[in-house]
């Protein structure tokens, strides 16, 4: 099993020539088939993008821990390992790897506008589960088990494919405004993977193993030989109102542990894959009907060969514009700014929140902020105090170096584990205690 896409040697050779021999690009592209040509063009585009970001990345080194060389890589799986080890229960997702198997930097996420909710309803990284068991905070009418992929130490829930098999986390009834985040891993996928191989995310009024009379569904495709896109569907009183297929070439992304983000605000539904927003439908959630239950369903994966895993599921109430709250109340607390375990390295999917804070500061020229870091109780007290201070400083550096905020307007502090707001004996409580507070100064 390998996270890295395996391509025929001939295709790899052609892509190498396309990237490094500009004079022959046109001739080579003419000889390639349509799908191979598109793949080559995507590779060229990604290379150009990486080169233009090189200077920015040098500036962003100051956001990482001083002297850090960044995440290392386990050659057995080609996936970035956060400093401090492979098992990363403190983070929700990691540095999302791109098609080359290297982690995206936070610069790539500088325009990311997803803002997670600020009240955690459910969080599960399976860290408290035994390998081989079905997780205790989920339900199913089929099967599945907690596994460790390639002995990495990270725990994943392996889903099983089948007719009408559902995986239902024990999320409390969903409110009107909330966000959903998770990481997904597909293994064994190739050009023979069915065009109907999908992971379906359901929001339903039925809390059992049915679609329900009212629902919203997002179908995320894992097919490799065509660009299948994302299918969106809803039902209102058993009547279909919306069925659409949105262009979204996710073939490379689904091979490289994408981070999925979803925001629901009343009738509006938005979906991001890594830093890119693909879905924004203003009126797809049935009005006046409460869709209380989150469900997952996978289908048309070949048994024993094609496998699908999920981890780090976080559901949080909120996700509304933080700018108004900071201006009106003078303080915002968020657990949506994520760091590598035991580190001050900001995870890129956190940039939506930092971006909103920067917009407040750009609009309110007279506003100054103090940034305060908090941790859970894992680890020694003094280490947590130091870590919280470094994390606050990392957020300040991101505001200064990426969004151009005057450093003189920002102060930092860290409280370590001394001011918990939830029970540190549970994964949900720890996730709430790991937070960053922005306060008018």
């Amino acid at each position: 099993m390998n996270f890295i896409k395996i391509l025929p040697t001939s295709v790899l050779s052609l892509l190498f020539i396309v990237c490094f021999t500009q004079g022959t690009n046109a001739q080579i592209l003419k000889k390639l088939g349509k799908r191979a040509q598109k793949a080559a063009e995507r590779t060229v585009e990604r290379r150009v993008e990486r080169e233009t970001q090189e200077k920015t990345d040098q500036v962003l080194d100051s956001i990482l821990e001083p002297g850090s060389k960044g995440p290392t890589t386990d050659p057995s799986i080609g996936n970035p390992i956060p400093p401090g080890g492979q098992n990363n229960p403190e983070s929700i997702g990691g540095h999302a790897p791109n098609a080359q198997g290297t982690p995206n930097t936070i610069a790539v996420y500088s325009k990311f506008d997803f803002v997670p909710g600020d009240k955690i309803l459910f969080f599960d990284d399976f860290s408290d589960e035994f390998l081989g068991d079905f997780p205790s905070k989920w339900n199913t009418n089929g099967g599945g088990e907690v596994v460790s992929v390639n002995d990495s130490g990270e725990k994943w829930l392996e889903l099983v494919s089948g007719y009408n098999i559902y995986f239902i986390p024990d999320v409390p009834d969903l409110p009107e405004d909330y966000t959903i985040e998770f990481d997904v891993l597909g293994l064994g996928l190739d050009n023979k993977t069915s065009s109907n191989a999908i992971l379906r995310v359901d929001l339903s009024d039925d809390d059992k193993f049915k679609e329900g009379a009212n629902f919203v569904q997002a179908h995320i495709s894992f097919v490799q030989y065509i660009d299948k896109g994302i299918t969106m569907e809803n039902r209102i009183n058993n009547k279909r109102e919306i069925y659409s297929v949105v262009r979204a070439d996710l073939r490379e992304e689904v091979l490289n542990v994408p981070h999925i983000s979803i925001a629901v605000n009343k009738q509006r539904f938005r979906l991001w894959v890594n830093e890119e927003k693909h879905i924004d439908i203003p009126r797809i959630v049935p009005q006046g009907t409460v869709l209380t239950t989150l469900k997952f369903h996978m289908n048309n994966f070949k048994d024993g060969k094609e496998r699908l895993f999920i981890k780090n599921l976080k559901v949080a109430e909120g996700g509304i514009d933080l700018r108004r709250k900071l201006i009106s109340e003078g303080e915002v607390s968020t657990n949506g700014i994520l760091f590598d375990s035991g580190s001050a390295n900001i995870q890129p999917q956190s940039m939506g929140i930092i971006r909103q804070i920067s917009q407040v500061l750009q609009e309110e020229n007279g506003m100054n902020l103090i940034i305060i870091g908090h941790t859970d109780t894992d680890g020694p007290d003094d280490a947590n105090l130091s870590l919280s201070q470094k994390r606050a400083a990392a957020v300040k550096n991101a505001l200064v170096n990426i969004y151009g905020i005057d450093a003189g307007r920002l102060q930092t502090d860290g409280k370590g584990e001394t001011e918990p707001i939830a029970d540190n004996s549970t994964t949900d409580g720890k996730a709430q205690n790991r937070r960053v507070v922005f306060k008018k100064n």
Side-chain angles (χ1 to χ4, degrees):
M1 296 186 293
N2 201 312
F3 288 179
I4 301 176
K5 182 177 180 181
I6 306 299
L7 294 175
T9 303
S10 59
V11 176
L12 286 174
S13 300
L14 287 173
L15 294 181
F16 181 85
I17 295 171
V18 169
C19 292
F20 294 96
T21 313
Q22 297 179 355
T24 61
N25 280 352
Q27 295 178 356
I28 291 173
L29 291 174
K30 289 180 181 179
K31 297 180 181 179
L32 293 173
K34 289 184 178 180
R35 186 172 65 82
Q37 178 175 337
K38 289 182 180 179
E41 289 171 349
R42 289 196 303 269
T43 301
V44 172
E45 290 171 359
R46 289 178 183 272
R47 177 175 174 81
V48 171
E49 183 179 348
R50 290 200 313 274
E51 290 176 351
T52 58
Q53 290 171 355
E54 183 175 350
K55 294 299 183 182
T56 304
D57 290 343
Q58 293 175 1
V59 175
L60 296 177
D61 285 343
S62 62
I63 298 173
L64 302 174
E65 291 180 307
S68 171
K69 296 182 179 180
T72 57
T73 300
D74 180 349
S76 68
I77 59 175
N79 197 38
I81 302 171
Q86 295 173 329
N87 191 15
N88 191 4
E90 185 162 347
S91 64
I92 303 169
H95 288 229
N98 59 25
Q100 287 72 37
T102 57
N104 285 330
T105 67
I106 59 177
V108 175
Y109 282 71
S110 62
K111 296 182 180 179
F112 185 49
D113 58 351
F114 171 77
V115 176
D118 53 3
K119 179 183 177 182
I120 293 179
L121 302 175
F122 180 91
F123 172 67
D124 201 358
D125 59 4
F126 311 118
S127 60
D128 295 333
E129 305 290 346
F130 291 106
L131 296 178
D133 285 353
F134 190 82
S136 59
K137 296 195 291 185
W138 291 64
N139 195 14
T140 184
N141 60 338
E145 61 180 0
V146 175
V147 300
S148 177
V149 179
N150 284 358
D151 298 322
S152 66
E154 293 183 335
K155 293 181 179 180
W156 298 75
L157 170 59
E158 181 170 8
L159 310 181
V160 297
S161 181
Y163 179 71
N164 277 345
I165 294 179
Y166 290 89
F167 301 87
I168 307 177
D170 294 340
V171 180
D173 287 355
L174 296 170
E176 282 192 329
D177 299 293
Y178 58 94
T179 59
I180 302 167
E181 297 178 79
F182 60 92
D183 299 316
V184 64
L185 164 65
L187 293 179
L189 308 175
D190 57 28
N191 288 338
K192 295 182 180 180
T193 297
S194 169
S195 62
N196 293 317
I198 57 99
L199 172 66
R200 198 178 77 200
V201 183
D202 292 11
L203 308 175
S204 172
D205 65 352
D206 184 280
D207 62 357
K208 301 297 191 299
F209 306 113
K210 299 178 182 179
E211 287 186 324
N214 298 276
F215 65 73
V216 173
Q217 296 177 349
H219 302 233
I220 301 172
S221 174
F222 285 77
V223 63
Q224 290 298 298
Y225 65 90
I226 57 172
D227 171 9
K228 189 66 181 294
I230 299 174
T231 299
M232 295 299 304
E233 180 179 3
N234 78 342
R235 296 277 175 87
I236 301 176
N237 296 323
N238 284 315
K239 181 181 179 181
R240 177 188 288 171
E241 297 287 339
I242 291 177
Y243 184 90
S244 58
V245 180
V246 179
R247 286 187 62 88
D249 192 347
L250 304 178
R251 286 174 287 180
E252 293 175 345
E253 281 81 356
V254 298
L255 295 176
N256 289 288
V257 199
H259 184 76
I260 310 298
S261 308
I262 295 171
V264 177
N265 300 107
K266 297 179 175 60
Q267 290 185 272
R268 186 182 184 187
F269 182 100
R270 290 171 289 165
L271 184 148
W272 293 257
V273 178
N274 291 333
E275 80 282 5
E276 186 171 354
K277 181 166 62 179
H278 293 283
I279 305 294
D280 191 347
I281 303 178
R283 295 183 183 90
I284 189 173
V285 179
Q287 188 175 19
T289 301
V290 180
L291 304 183
T292 59
T293 304
L294 168 65
K295 308 177 185 181
F296 295 92
H297 168 80
M298 62 176 287
N299 205 8
N300 291 305
F301 286 75
K302 296 177 184 177
D303 290 341
K305 179 181 184 296
E306 298 166 350
R307 307 171 67 188
L308 194 64
F309 310 81
I310 190 172
K311 72 165 184 171
N312 293 327
L313 175 63
K314 175 188 174 185
V315 183
E317 185 173 2
I320 306 173
D321 196 336
L322 294 178
R323 292 168 293 191
R324 296 177 185 175
K325 186 174 182 180
L326 181 57
I327 292 173
S328 62
E329 300 180 16
E331 181 175 330
V332 167
S333 176
T334 175
N335 46 50
I337 298 180
L338 310 173
F339 303 86
D340 289 341
S341 181
S343 165
N345 297 341
I346 298 175
Q347 293 191 358
Q349 62 264 33
S350 308
M351 295 307 292
I353 295 175
I354 299 175
R355 179 172 180 259
Q356 280 207 355
I357 299 299
S358 74
Q359 291 170 338
V360 175
L361 292 169
Q362 289 164 355
E363 294 167 2
E364 303 289 326
N365 293 326
M367 180 186 292
N368 297 329
L369 292 180
I370 180 168
I371 305 167
I372 307 168
H374 297 264
T375 70
D376 58 29
T377 55
D378 289 349
D381 296 0
D382 56 346
N384 284 333
L385 178 61
S386 175
L387 181 60
S388 66
Q389 294 166 343
K390 290 178 181 178
R391 288 178 170 178
V395 173
K396 173 182 176 178
N397 288 340
L399 287 166
V400 171
N401 292 326
I402 296 178
Y403 298 108
I405 303 301
D406 182 357
R409 300 174 61 188
L410 305 171
Q411 295 184 23
T412 64
D413 193 10
K415 301 295 184 180
E417 60 188 65
T418 61
E419 297 181 4
I421 57 174
D423 186 357
N424 273 301
S425 65
T426 67
T427 54
D428 288 356
K430 289 180 182 179
Q432 293 183 58
N433 290 329
R434 295 188 296 266
R435 66 196 190 277
V436 176
V437 175
F438 298 89
K439 184 182 297 186
K440 285 185 183 178
N441 188 18

